[in-house]
Short mmCIF file of all heavy atoms in Angstrom, two decimals:
data_model
loop_
_atom_site.label_atom_id
_atom_site.label_comp_id
_atom_site.label_asym_id
_atom_site.label_seq_id
_atom_site.Cartn_x
_atom_site.Cartn_y
_atom_site.Cartn_z
N MET A 1 -55.75 13.67 252.87
CA MET A 1 -54.71 13.30 251.93
C MET A 1 -53.83 12.23 252.57
O MET A 1 -53.55 12.30 253.76
CB MET A 1 -53.86 14.52 251.55
CG MET A 1 -54.66 15.76 251.13
SD MET A 1 -55.84 15.46 249.79
CE MET A 1 -54.75 15.18 248.41
N CYS A 2 -53.40 11.28 251.76
CA CYS A 2 -52.59 10.18 252.30
C CYS A 2 -51.80 9.55 251.16
O CYS A 2 -52.33 9.35 250.07
CB CYS A 2 -53.49 9.14 252.95
SG CYS A 2 -52.58 7.72 253.60
N SER A 3 -50.56 9.23 251.42
CA SER A 3 -49.69 8.65 250.39
C SER A 3 -49.54 7.14 250.51
O SER A 3 -48.76 6.53 249.77
CB SER A 3 -48.31 9.32 250.43
OG SER A 3 -47.71 9.07 251.68
N VAL A 4 -50.28 6.52 251.40
CA VAL A 4 -50.14 5.07 251.61
C VAL A 4 -50.98 4.34 250.55
O VAL A 4 -52.11 3.92 250.79
CB VAL A 4 -50.58 4.68 253.05
CG1 VAL A 4 -50.36 3.20 253.30
CG2 VAL A 4 -49.81 5.50 254.08
N ASN A 5 -50.42 4.18 249.37
CA ASN A 5 -51.22 3.73 248.22
C ASN A 5 -51.48 2.22 248.17
O ASN A 5 -52.13 1.75 247.23
CB ASN A 5 -50.61 4.22 246.91
CG ASN A 5 -49.30 3.55 246.59
OD1 ASN A 5 -48.69 2.93 247.46
ND2 ASN A 5 -48.85 3.69 245.37
N ASN A 6 -51.02 1.50 249.15
CA ASN A 6 -51.41 0.08 249.21
C ASN A 6 -52.53 -0.15 250.22
O ASN A 6 -52.83 -1.28 250.59
CB ASN A 6 -50.20 -0.81 249.53
CG ASN A 6 -49.62 -0.54 250.90
OD1 ASN A 6 -49.60 0.59 251.38
ND2 ASN A 6 -49.13 -1.58 251.55
N CYS A 7 -53.17 0.95 250.63
CA CYS A 7 -54.31 0.85 251.55
C CYS A 7 -55.60 0.66 250.75
O CYS A 7 -55.78 1.28 249.70
CB CYS A 7 -54.40 2.11 252.41
SG CYS A 7 -55.84 2.14 253.51
N HIS A 8 -56.51 -0.12 251.28
CA HIS A 8 -57.83 -0.36 250.69
C HIS A 8 -58.57 0.95 250.42
O HIS A 8 -59.32 1.06 249.45
CB HIS A 8 -58.64 -1.24 251.65
CG HIS A 8 -60.09 -1.37 251.31
ND1 HIS A 8 -60.54 -2.12 250.24
CD2 HIS A 8 -61.20 -0.84 251.91
CE1 HIS A 8 -61.86 -2.05 250.20
NE2 HIS A 8 -62.29 -1.28 251.18
N TYR A 9 -58.38 1.95 251.26
CA TYR A 9 -59.13 3.20 251.17
C TYR A 9 -58.43 4.27 250.34
O TYR A 9 -58.98 5.35 250.14
CB TYR A 9 -59.40 3.76 252.57
CG TYR A 9 -60.24 2.83 253.40
CD1 TYR A 9 -59.65 2.05 254.40
CD2 TYR A 9 -61.59 2.70 253.18
CE1 TYR A 9 -60.41 1.17 255.14
CE2 TYR A 9 -62.37 1.82 253.91
CZ TYR A 9 -61.77 1.06 254.90
OH TYR A 9 -62.52 0.19 255.65
N TRP A 10 -57.24 3.99 249.87
CA TRP A 10 -56.48 5.01 249.13
C TRP A 10 -57.09 5.25 247.75
O TRP A 10 -57.55 4.32 247.09
CB TRP A 10 -55.03 4.53 248.98
CG TRP A 10 -54.14 5.53 248.31
CD1 TRP A 10 -53.43 6.54 248.91
CD2 TRP A 10 -53.86 5.62 246.91
NE1 TRP A 10 -52.74 7.24 247.96
CE2 TRP A 10 -52.98 6.71 246.73
CE3 TRP A 10 -54.26 4.89 245.79
CZ2 TRP A 10 -52.50 7.08 245.47
CZ3 TRP A 10 -53.78 5.27 244.55
CH2 TRP A 10 -52.92 6.34 244.39
N GLY A 11 -57.09 6.52 247.32
CA GLY A 11 -57.60 6.86 246.00
C GLY A 11 -56.64 7.76 245.23
O GLY A 11 -55.69 8.32 245.79
N LYS A 12 -56.92 7.90 243.95
CA LYS A 12 -56.08 8.72 243.06
C LYS A 12 -55.86 10.11 243.63
O LYS A 12 -56.77 10.67 244.24
CB LYS A 12 -56.73 8.85 241.68
CG LYS A 12 -56.55 7.63 240.83
CD LYS A 12 -57.17 7.84 239.46
CE LYS A 12 -57.13 6.54 238.67
NZ LYS A 12 -57.96 6.59 237.48
N GLY A 13 -54.68 10.65 243.38
CA GLY A 13 -54.35 11.99 243.87
C GLY A 13 -54.01 11.99 245.35
O GLY A 13 -54.07 13.02 246.00
N ASN A 14 -53.68 10.81 245.85
CA ASN A 14 -53.35 10.66 247.28
C ASN A 14 -54.51 11.08 248.19
O ASN A 14 -54.31 11.72 249.22
CB ASN A 14 -52.08 11.44 247.65
CG ASN A 14 -50.83 10.67 247.28
OD1 ASN A 14 -50.86 9.45 247.11
ND2 ASN A 14 -49.73 11.38 247.15
N ARG A 15 -55.72 10.73 247.78
CA ARG A 15 -56.90 11.04 248.60
C ARG A 15 -57.34 9.80 249.37
O ARG A 15 -57.47 8.71 248.79
CB ARG A 15 -58.06 11.50 247.72
CG ARG A 15 -57.80 12.84 247.09
CD ARG A 15 -59.04 13.39 246.39
NE ARG A 15 -58.75 14.73 245.91
CZ ARG A 15 -58.85 15.83 246.66
NH1 ARG A 15 -59.26 15.75 247.89
NH2 ARG A 15 -58.55 17.01 246.17
N CYS A 16 -57.60 9.98 250.65
CA CYS A 16 -58.18 8.90 251.45
C CYS A 16 -59.67 8.88 251.16
O CYS A 16 -60.35 9.90 251.29
CB CYS A 16 -57.93 9.14 252.93
SG CYS A 16 -58.79 7.94 253.98
N GLU A 17 -60.20 7.73 250.77
CA GLU A 17 -61.62 7.62 250.43
C GLU A 17 -62.44 6.93 251.52
O GLU A 17 -63.58 6.54 251.29
CB GLU A 17 -61.77 6.90 249.09
CG GLU A 17 -61.14 7.70 247.95
CD GLU A 17 -61.28 7.05 246.60
OE1 GLU A 17 -61.66 5.88 246.53
OE2 GLU A 17 -60.98 7.74 245.61
N ALA A 18 -61.87 6.78 252.70
CA ALA A 18 -62.64 6.21 253.82
C ALA A 18 -63.64 7.26 254.30
O ALA A 18 -63.35 8.45 254.28
CB ALA A 18 -61.71 5.83 254.96
N GLN A 19 -64.81 6.82 254.73
CA GLN A 19 -65.80 7.76 255.25
C GLN A 19 -65.32 8.40 256.54
O GLN A 19 -65.67 9.52 256.86
CB GLN A 19 -67.14 7.07 255.47
CG GLN A 19 -67.86 6.83 254.15
CD GLN A 19 -69.32 6.53 254.36
OE1 GLN A 19 -69.70 5.91 255.34
NE2 GLN A 19 -70.14 6.95 253.41
N GLN A 20 -64.55 7.66 257.31
CA GLN A 20 -63.96 8.19 258.52
C GLN A 20 -62.69 7.39 258.80
O GLN A 20 -62.57 6.24 258.39
CB GLN A 20 -64.94 8.09 259.69
CG GLN A 20 -65.59 6.73 259.83
CD GLN A 20 -66.67 6.70 260.89
OE1 GLN A 20 -66.85 7.65 261.63
NE2 GLN A 20 -67.38 5.60 260.99
N ILE A 21 -61.74 8.03 259.47
CA ILE A 21 -60.53 7.32 259.86
C ILE A 21 -60.31 7.49 261.35
O ILE A 21 -60.92 8.36 261.98
CB ILE A 21 -59.28 7.79 259.07
CG1 ILE A 21 -58.94 9.25 259.40
CG2 ILE A 21 -59.47 7.58 257.58
CD1 ILE A 21 -57.60 9.71 258.85
N PHE A 22 -59.42 6.68 261.90
CA PHE A 22 -59.12 6.74 263.33
C PHE A 22 -57.60 6.79 263.47
O PHE A 22 -56.91 5.81 263.16
CB PHE A 22 -59.70 5.52 264.02
CG PHE A 22 -59.67 5.56 265.53
CD1 PHE A 22 -59.61 6.75 266.22
CD2 PHE A 22 -59.75 4.38 266.26
CE1 PHE A 22 -59.60 6.79 267.60
CE2 PHE A 22 -59.75 4.40 267.65
CZ PHE A 22 -59.67 5.61 268.32
N VAL A 23 -57.09 7.94 263.92
CA VAL A 23 -55.65 8.09 264.14
C VAL A 23 -55.37 7.88 265.62
O VAL A 23 -56.03 8.48 266.47
CB VAL A 23 -55.17 9.49 263.69
CG1 VAL A 23 -53.69 9.67 264.00
CG2 VAL A 23 -55.43 9.67 262.19
N VAL A 24 -54.40 7.02 265.89
CA VAL A 24 -54.08 6.66 267.28
C VAL A 24 -52.56 6.68 267.47
O VAL A 24 -51.81 6.92 266.51
CB VAL A 24 -54.61 5.24 267.62
CG1 VAL A 24 -56.13 5.17 267.46
CG2 VAL A 24 -53.95 4.19 266.73
N SER A 25 -52.11 6.41 268.68
CA SER A 25 -50.67 6.31 268.92
C SER A 25 -50.17 4.97 268.37
O SER A 25 -50.91 3.99 268.31
CB SER A 25 -50.37 6.39 270.42
OG SER A 25 -50.87 5.25 271.08
N ASP A 26 -48.90 4.96 267.98
CA ASP A 26 -48.28 3.71 267.53
C ASP A 26 -48.43 2.61 268.58
O ASP A 26 -48.71 1.46 268.26
CB ASP A 26 -46.78 3.91 267.28
CG ASP A 26 -46.50 4.63 265.97
OD1 ASP A 26 -47.39 4.68 265.11
OD2 ASP A 26 -45.38 5.14 265.84
N LYS A 27 -48.24 3.01 269.82
CA LYS A 27 -48.30 2.06 270.93
C LYS A 27 -49.67 1.37 270.98
O LYS A 27 -49.77 0.16 271.12
CB LYS A 27 -48.06 2.83 272.23
CG LYS A 27 -47.46 2.05 273.34
CD LYS A 27 -47.14 3.04 274.46
CE LYS A 27 -46.51 2.35 275.63
NZ LYS A 27 -46.18 3.30 276.69
N PHE A 28 -50.73 2.17 270.84
CA PHE A 28 -52.08 1.61 270.87
C PHE A 28 -52.32 0.75 269.63
O PHE A 28 -52.86 -0.36 269.71
CB PHE A 28 -53.12 2.73 270.94
CG PHE A 28 -54.54 2.24 270.95
CD1 PHE A 28 -55.10 1.72 272.09
CD2 PHE A 28 -55.30 2.28 269.79
CE1 PHE A 28 -56.41 1.26 272.11
CE2 PHE A 28 -56.61 1.82 269.78
CZ PHE A 28 -57.17 1.30 270.94
N ALA A 29 -51.88 1.24 268.48
CA ALA A 29 -52.08 0.51 267.22
C ALA A 29 -51.39 -0.85 267.26
O ALA A 29 -51.88 -1.83 266.68
CB ALA A 29 -51.56 1.33 266.05
N ASP A 30 -50.27 -0.93 267.95
CA ASP A 30 -49.52 -2.19 268.03
C ASP A 30 -50.28 -3.27 268.78
O ASP A 30 -50.07 -4.46 268.55
CB ASP A 30 -48.18 -1.97 268.77
CG ASP A 30 -47.14 -1.34 267.87
OD1 ASP A 30 -47.37 -1.27 266.65
OD2 ASP A 30 -46.09 -0.92 268.40
N THR A 31 -51.17 -2.86 269.70
CA THR A 31 -51.82 -3.85 270.56
C THR A 31 -53.32 -4.04 270.26
O THR A 31 -53.88 -5.07 270.63
CB THR A 31 -51.68 -3.44 272.04
OG1 THR A 31 -52.23 -2.14 272.20
CG2 THR A 31 -50.22 -3.43 272.46
N ALA A 32 -53.97 -3.06 269.63
CA ALA A 32 -55.41 -3.16 269.40
C ALA A 32 -55.72 -4.05 268.19
O ALA A 32 -54.97 -4.06 267.22
CB ALA A 32 -55.99 -1.76 269.18
N THR A 33 -56.83 -4.76 268.25
CA THR A 33 -57.19 -5.64 267.14
C THR A 33 -57.67 -4.82 265.94
O THR A 33 -57.97 -3.63 266.05
CB THR A 33 -58.35 -6.59 267.54
OG1 THR A 33 -59.55 -5.81 267.64
CG2 THR A 33 -58.07 -7.31 268.83
N ASP A 34 -57.78 -5.48 264.78
CA ASP A 34 -58.24 -4.81 263.57
C ASP A 34 -59.69 -4.36 263.67
O ASP A 34 -60.14 -3.53 262.90
CB ASP A 34 -58.09 -5.75 262.36
CG ASP A 34 -56.64 -5.89 261.93
OD1 ASP A 34 -55.85 -4.96 262.20
OD2 ASP A 34 -56.30 -6.91 261.31
N HIS A 35 -60.43 -4.93 264.60
CA HIS A 35 -61.85 -4.58 264.73
C HIS A 35 -62.07 -3.22 265.39
O HIS A 35 -63.16 -2.67 265.32
CB HIS A 35 -62.59 -5.67 265.53
CG HIS A 35 -62.54 -7.00 264.85
ND1 HIS A 35 -63.43 -7.35 263.86
CD2 HIS A 35 -61.69 -8.04 264.97
CE1 HIS A 35 -63.12 -8.58 263.41
NE2 HIS A 35 -62.08 -9.01 264.08
N ILE A 36 -61.03 -2.70 266.04
CA ILE A 36 -61.15 -1.38 266.68
C ILE A 36 -60.79 -0.31 265.66
O ILE A 36 -59.67 -0.28 265.14
CB ILE A 36 -60.25 -1.29 267.92
CG1 ILE A 36 -60.72 -2.30 268.97
CG2 ILE A 36 -60.26 0.13 268.49
CD1 ILE A 36 -59.84 -2.39 270.17
N ASP A 37 -61.76 0.56 265.37
CA ASP A 37 -61.54 1.60 264.37
C ASP A 37 -62.46 2.78 264.65
O ASP A 37 -63.03 2.88 265.74
CB ASP A 37 -61.78 1.01 262.97
CG ASP A 37 -60.91 1.70 261.92
OD1 ASP A 37 -60.82 2.93 261.91
OD2 ASP A 37 -60.31 1.00 261.10
N ALA A 38 -62.66 3.63 263.67
CA ALA A 38 -63.43 4.87 263.88
C ALA A 38 -64.78 4.66 264.55
O ALA A 38 -65.16 5.47 265.42
CB ALA A 38 -63.58 5.59 262.55
N PRO A 39 -65.55 3.61 264.22
CA PRO A 39 -66.85 3.44 264.89
C PRO A 39 -66.73 3.26 266.41
O PRO A 39 -67.68 3.53 267.14
CB PRO A 39 -67.44 2.18 264.23
CG PRO A 39 -66.80 2.16 262.89
CD PRO A 39 -65.39 2.66 263.12
N GLN A 40 -65.57 2.82 266.88
CA GLN A 40 -65.38 2.63 268.32
C GLN A 40 -64.60 3.79 268.96
O GLN A 40 -64.30 3.77 270.16
CB GLN A 40 -64.60 1.32 268.59
CG GLN A 40 -65.35 0.06 268.27
CD GLN A 40 -65.36 -0.24 266.78
OE1 GLN A 40 -64.37 -0.04 266.09
NE2 GLN A 40 -66.49 -0.71 266.27
N ALA A 41 -64.28 4.82 268.19
CA ALA A 41 -63.40 5.89 268.67
C ALA A 41 -63.93 6.58 269.93
O ALA A 41 -63.14 6.89 270.84
CB ALA A 41 -63.18 6.91 267.57
N SER A 42 -65.23 6.82 269.99
CA SER A 42 -65.76 7.55 271.15
C SER A 42 -65.68 6.74 272.44
O SER A 42 -65.80 7.29 273.53
CB SER A 42 -67.21 7.98 270.88
OG SER A 42 -68.02 6.84 270.74
N MET A 43 -65.48 5.44 272.33
CA MET A 43 -65.39 4.59 273.51
C MET A 43 -63.94 4.20 273.83
O MET A 43 -63.68 3.38 274.70
CB MET A 43 -66.20 3.31 273.28
CG MET A 43 -67.67 3.57 273.10
SD MET A 43 -68.55 2.10 272.53
CE MET A 43 -68.15 2.08 270.80
N THR A 44 -62.99 4.78 273.10
CA THR A 44 -61.58 4.43 273.27
C THR A 44 -60.87 5.50 274.09
O THR A 44 -61.14 6.69 273.94
CB THR A 44 -60.92 4.32 271.87
OG1 THR A 44 -61.64 3.37 271.10
CG2 THR A 44 -59.47 3.85 271.99
N GLN A 45 -59.97 5.07 274.96
CA GLN A 45 -59.21 6.01 275.78
C GLN A 45 -58.32 6.88 274.91
O GLN A 45 -57.90 6.46 273.83
CB GLN A 45 -58.29 5.24 276.74
CG GLN A 45 -59.02 4.62 277.91
CD GLN A 45 -58.04 4.02 278.92
OE1 GLN A 45 -56.89 3.75 278.60
NE2 GLN A 45 -58.53 3.79 280.12
N ALA A 46 -57.99 8.08 275.39
CA ALA A 46 -57.07 8.96 274.68
C ALA A 46 -55.69 8.32 274.59
O ALA A 46 -55.29 7.57 275.50
CB ALA A 46 -56.97 10.29 275.41
N THR A 47 -54.97 8.58 273.50
CA THR A 47 -53.64 7.98 273.30
C THR A 47 -52.65 9.08 272.94
O THR A 47 -52.23 9.20 271.78
CB THR A 47 -53.67 6.89 272.20
OG1 THR A 47 -54.04 7.50 270.95
CG2 THR A 47 -54.66 5.78 272.52
N PRO A 48 -52.25 9.91 273.90
CA PRO A 48 -51.36 11.03 273.60
C PRO A 48 -49.99 10.58 273.07
O PRO A 48 -49.52 9.48 273.40
CB PRO A 48 -51.21 11.73 274.96
CG PRO A 48 -51.60 10.73 275.97
CD PRO A 48 -52.57 9.81 275.32
N VAL A 49 -49.38 11.43 272.24
CA VAL A 49 -48.05 11.15 271.67
C VAL A 49 -47.20 12.41 271.79
O VAL A 49 -47.70 13.49 272.10
CB VAL A 49 -48.15 10.71 270.20
CG1 VAL A 49 -48.97 9.45 270.06
CG2 VAL A 49 -48.72 11.83 269.34
N ASN A 50 -45.90 12.28 271.47
CA ASN A 50 -44.99 13.43 271.54
C ASN A 50 -44.78 14.10 270.19
O ASN A 50 -44.44 15.27 270.12
CB ASN A 50 -43.64 12.98 272.10
CG ASN A 50 -43.78 12.51 273.54
OD1 ASN A 50 -44.33 13.23 274.37
ND2 ASN A 50 -43.32 11.31 273.82
N ASN A 51 -44.95 13.37 269.11
CA ASN A 51 -44.73 13.95 267.78
C ASN A 51 -45.41 13.07 266.72
O ASN A 51 -45.90 11.98 267.03
CB ASN A 51 -43.23 14.10 267.48
CG ASN A 51 -42.49 12.81 267.69
OD1 ASN A 51 -42.82 11.80 267.06
ND2 ASN A 51 -41.52 12.80 268.60
N CYS A 52 -45.41 13.53 265.48
CA CYS A 52 -46.14 12.82 264.42
C CYS A 52 -45.59 11.42 264.15
O CYS A 52 -46.31 10.56 263.66
CB CYS A 52 -46.20 13.65 263.14
SG CYS A 52 -44.59 14.00 262.42
N MET A 53 -44.31 11.21 264.45
CA MET A 53 -43.74 9.88 264.21
C MET A 53 -44.35 8.82 265.10
O MET A 53 -44.18 7.63 264.87
CB MET A 53 -42.22 9.89 264.42
CG MET A 53 -41.47 10.49 263.26
SD MET A 53 -41.15 12.23 263.56
CE MET A 53 -39.74 12.16 264.63
N GLU A 54 -45.06 9.23 266.13
CA GLU A 54 -45.65 8.28 267.07
C GLU A 54 -47.13 8.04 266.80
O GLU A 54 -47.82 7.46 267.62
CB GLU A 54 -45.46 8.80 268.50
CG GLU A 54 -43.99 8.89 268.91
CD GLU A 54 -43.81 9.45 270.31
OE1 GLU A 54 -44.79 9.70 271.01
OE2 GLU A 54 -42.64 9.63 270.70
N THR A 55 -47.64 8.52 265.66
CA THR A 55 -49.06 8.32 265.34
C THR A 55 -49.23 7.28 264.24
O THR A 55 -48.32 7.04 263.44
CB THR A 55 -49.74 9.62 264.90
OG1 THR A 55 -49.19 10.03 263.66
CG2 THR A 55 -49.58 10.71 265.93
N ALA A 56 -50.41 6.70 264.17
CA ALA A 56 -50.69 5.68 263.16
C ALA A 56 -52.15 5.76 262.74
O ALA A 56 -53.01 6.10 263.55
CB ALA A 56 -50.41 4.29 263.74
N CYS A 57 -52.41 5.45 261.48
CA CYS A 57 -53.78 5.38 261.01
C CYS A 57 -54.31 3.99 261.30
O CYS A 57 -53.89 3.00 260.69
CB CYS A 57 -53.84 5.65 259.50
SG CYS A 57 -55.54 5.50 258.88
N LYS A 58 -55.23 3.88 262.23
CA LYS A 58 -55.79 2.58 262.64
C LYS A 58 -56.72 2.03 261.56
O LYS A 58 -57.05 0.85 261.55
CB LYS A 58 -56.56 2.77 263.96
CG LYS A 58 -57.02 1.49 264.60
CD LYS A 58 -55.86 0.72 265.18
CE LYS A 58 -56.32 -0.58 265.80
NZ LYS A 58 -56.84 -1.55 264.85
N THR A 59 -57.15 2.88 260.64
CA THR A 59 -58.09 2.46 259.60
C THR A 59 -57.40 1.73 258.45
O THR A 59 -58.06 1.04 257.67
CB THR A 59 -58.85 3.70 259.07
OG1 THR A 59 -59.38 4.41 260.19
CG2 THR A 59 -59.99 3.34 258.14
N PHE A 60 -56.10 1.82 258.35
CA PHE A 60 -55.37 1.15 257.26
C PHE A 60 -55.72 -0.33 257.17
O PHE A 60 -55.74 -1.04 258.18
CB PHE A 60 -53.85 1.28 257.47
CG PHE A 60 -53.07 0.41 256.53
CD1 PHE A 60 -52.83 0.82 255.23
CD2 PHE A 60 -52.61 -0.84 256.93
CE1 PHE A 60 -52.12 0.01 254.34
CE2 PHE A 60 -51.91 -1.66 256.06
CZ PHE A 60 -51.67 -1.24 254.76
N VAL A 61 -56.01 -0.76 255.96
CA VAL A 61 -56.20 -2.18 255.64
C VAL A 61 -55.50 -2.41 254.31
O VAL A 61 -55.70 -1.64 253.37
CB VAL A 61 -57.70 -2.54 255.46
CG1 VAL A 61 -57.86 -4.00 255.12
CG2 VAL A 61 -58.48 -2.22 256.71
N PRO A 62 -54.68 -3.43 254.18
CA PRO A 62 -54.00 -3.67 252.91
C PRO A 62 -55.01 -3.88 251.78
O PRO A 62 -56.04 -4.53 251.98
CB PRO A 62 -53.20 -4.96 253.15
CG PRO A 62 -53.11 -5.09 254.62
CD PRO A 62 -54.32 -4.43 255.20
N LYS A 63 -54.71 -3.32 250.63
CA LYS A 63 -55.58 -3.49 249.47
C LYS A 63 -55.80 -4.98 249.19
O LYS A 63 -54.84 -5.76 249.23
CB LYS A 63 -54.90 -2.84 248.26
CG LYS A 63 -55.84 -2.19 247.29
CD LYS A 63 -55.09 -1.36 246.27
CE LYS A 63 -55.28 0.09 246.63
NZ LYS A 63 -54.73 1.02 245.67
N GLY A 64 -57.04 -5.39 248.95
CA GLY A 64 -57.32 -6.79 248.64
C GLY A 64 -57.50 -7.67 249.85
O GLY A 64 -57.77 -8.85 249.74
N SER A 65 -57.36 -7.10 251.05
CA SER A 65 -57.47 -7.91 252.26
C SER A 65 -58.92 -8.27 252.58
O SER A 65 -59.82 -7.44 252.43
CB SER A 65 -56.86 -7.16 253.44
OG SER A 65 -57.19 -7.80 254.65
N TYR A 66 -59.13 -9.45 253.08
CA TYR A 66 -60.48 -9.86 253.50
C TYR A 66 -60.90 -9.08 254.74
O TYR A 66 -62.06 -9.06 255.10
CB TYR A 66 -60.51 -11.37 253.78
CG TYR A 66 -59.81 -11.76 255.06
CD1 TYR A 66 -60.52 -11.95 256.24
CD2 TYR A 66 -58.42 -11.93 255.08
CE1 TYR A 66 -59.88 -12.30 257.42
CE2 TYR A 66 -57.76 -12.27 256.25
CZ TYR A 66 -58.49 -12.45 257.41
OH TYR A 66 -57.85 -12.78 258.56
N MET A 67 -59.96 -8.41 255.39
CA MET A 67 -60.25 -7.66 256.61
C MET A 67 -60.88 -6.30 256.33
O MET A 67 -61.24 -5.57 257.25
CB MET A 67 -58.97 -7.45 257.42
CG MET A 67 -58.42 -8.71 258.05
SD MET A 67 -59.58 -9.47 259.20
CE MET A 67 -59.52 -8.30 260.55
N ALA A 68 -61.06 -5.95 255.06
CA ALA A 68 -61.54 -4.60 254.72
C ALA A 68 -62.88 -4.26 255.34
O ALA A 68 -63.16 -3.10 255.63
CB ALA A 68 -61.63 -4.45 253.19
N SER A 69 -63.73 -5.24 255.60
CA SER A 69 -65.05 -4.95 256.17
C SER A 69 -65.12 -5.30 257.66
O SER A 69 -66.21 -5.26 258.25
CB SER A 69 -66.13 -5.71 255.40
OG SER A 69 -65.86 -7.10 255.47
N ALA A 70 -64.01 -5.62 258.26
CA ALA A 70 -64.02 -6.09 259.66
C ALA A 70 -64.24 -4.98 260.68
O ALA A 70 -64.68 -5.24 261.79
CB ALA A 70 -62.71 -6.80 259.98
N ASP A 71 -63.98 -3.74 260.30
CA ASP A 71 -64.00 -2.67 261.30
C ASP A 71 -65.19 -1.72 261.20
O ASP A 71 -65.28 -0.76 261.96
CB ASP A 71 -62.69 -1.87 261.23
CG ASP A 71 -62.40 -1.38 259.82
OD1 ASP A 71 -63.33 -1.38 258.99
OD2 ASP A 71 -61.25 -0.98 259.57
N GLY A 72 -66.09 -1.95 260.25
CA GLY A 72 -67.27 -1.10 260.13
C GLY A 72 -67.05 0.18 259.36
O GLY A 72 -67.96 0.99 259.23
N VAL A 73 -65.85 0.41 258.86
CA VAL A 73 -65.57 1.61 258.07
C VAL A 73 -65.84 1.30 256.60
O VAL A 73 -65.55 0.21 256.11
CB VAL A 73 -64.10 2.07 258.25
CG1 VAL A 73 -63.79 3.25 257.34
CG2 VAL A 73 -63.84 2.43 259.70
N THR A 74 -66.44 2.26 255.88
CA THR A 74 -66.72 2.05 254.46
C THR A 74 -66.07 3.16 253.64
O THR A 74 -65.65 4.18 254.17
CB THR A 74 -68.24 2.08 254.18
OG1 THR A 74 -68.77 3.31 254.68
CG2 THR A 74 -68.93 0.91 254.87
N LYS A 75 -66.04 2.95 252.32
CA LYS A 75 -65.50 4.00 251.42
C LYS A 75 -66.56 5.06 251.21
O LYS A 75 -67.77 4.78 251.29
CB LYS A 75 -65.12 3.40 250.07
CG LYS A 75 -63.81 2.64 250.09
CD LYS A 75 -63.41 2.29 248.67
CE LYS A 75 -62.10 1.51 248.66
NZ LYS A 75 -61.64 1.20 247.31
N GLN A 76 -66.13 6.28 250.87
CA GLN A 76 -67.07 7.35 250.53
C GLN A 76 -67.79 6.96 249.25
O GLN A 76 -67.24 6.29 248.40
CB GLN A 76 -66.32 8.66 250.31
CG GLN A 76 -65.64 9.18 251.56
CD GLN A 76 -64.86 10.44 251.29
OE1 GLN A 76 -65.28 11.28 250.51
NE2 GLN A 76 -63.72 10.55 251.94
N GLN A 77 -69.04 7.41 249.12
CA GLN A 77 -69.82 7.08 247.92
C GLN A 77 -69.37 7.92 246.75
O GLN A 77 -69.02 9.03 246.88
CB GLN A 77 -71.30 7.32 248.19
CG GLN A 77 -71.85 6.47 249.32
CD GLN A 77 -71.68 4.97 249.09
OE1 GLN A 77 -71.99 4.47 248.02
NE2 GLN A 77 -71.17 4.26 250.08
S1 SF4 B 1 -57.37 4.76 255.77
FE1 SF4 B 1 -55.52 5.73 256.62
S2 SF4 B 1 -53.80 4.71 255.57
FE2 SF4 B 1 -55.67 4.28 254.40
S3 SF4 B 1 -55.75 5.85 252.81
FE3 SF4 B 1 -56.96 6.58 254.56
S4 SF4 B 1 -55.55 7.82 255.81
FE4 SF4 B 1 -54.32 6.54 254.39
#
């Protein structure tokens, strides 16, 4: 479930329709390129945080962005 309705993967009823997502620390999200996402998760270092305010969805792509296919993540069928 996700309320970020300007995301490419967002769907009705606040459902995330990405096949997979990658949640990381804000700090990591600030520096990693858009190409790093769930397909690269197993090769990425752990990014511990202190609370939920320090986490970020790395899979977010603005709706309509040409970057939607840059990270290898697709929508659920
Ligand atoms: S990819 Fe992330 S930001 Fe986008 S709808 Fe899914 S959970 Fe929300």
Side-chain angles (χ1 to χ4, degrees):
M1 310 306 290
C2 178
S3 62
V4 183
N5 69 345
N6 64 325
C7 176
H8 169 72
Y9 298 104
W10 183 89
K12 282 182 187 167
N14 279 340
R15 291 189 175 276
C16 173
E17 296 181 348
Q19 284 197 326
Q20 48 186 352
I21 65 170
F22 190 23
V23 177
V24 300
S25 68
D26 283 342
K27 207 173 181 179
F28 179 78
D30 281 349
T31 57
T33 71
D34 285 335
H35 298 277
I36 296 175
D37 210 314
Q40 292 78 39
S42 64
M43 297 169 281
T44 304
Q45 285 187 340
T47 62
V49 300
N50 295 308
N51 52 58
C52 62
M53 282 95 80
E54 297 178 4
T55 66
C57 177
K58 189 72 181 67
T59 308
F60 170 81
V61 179
K63 215 169 255 186
S65 168
Y66 73 97
M67 290 300 289
S69 59
D71 53 16
V73 175
T74 55
K75 283 189 181 183
Q76 295 178 37
Q77 299 302 312

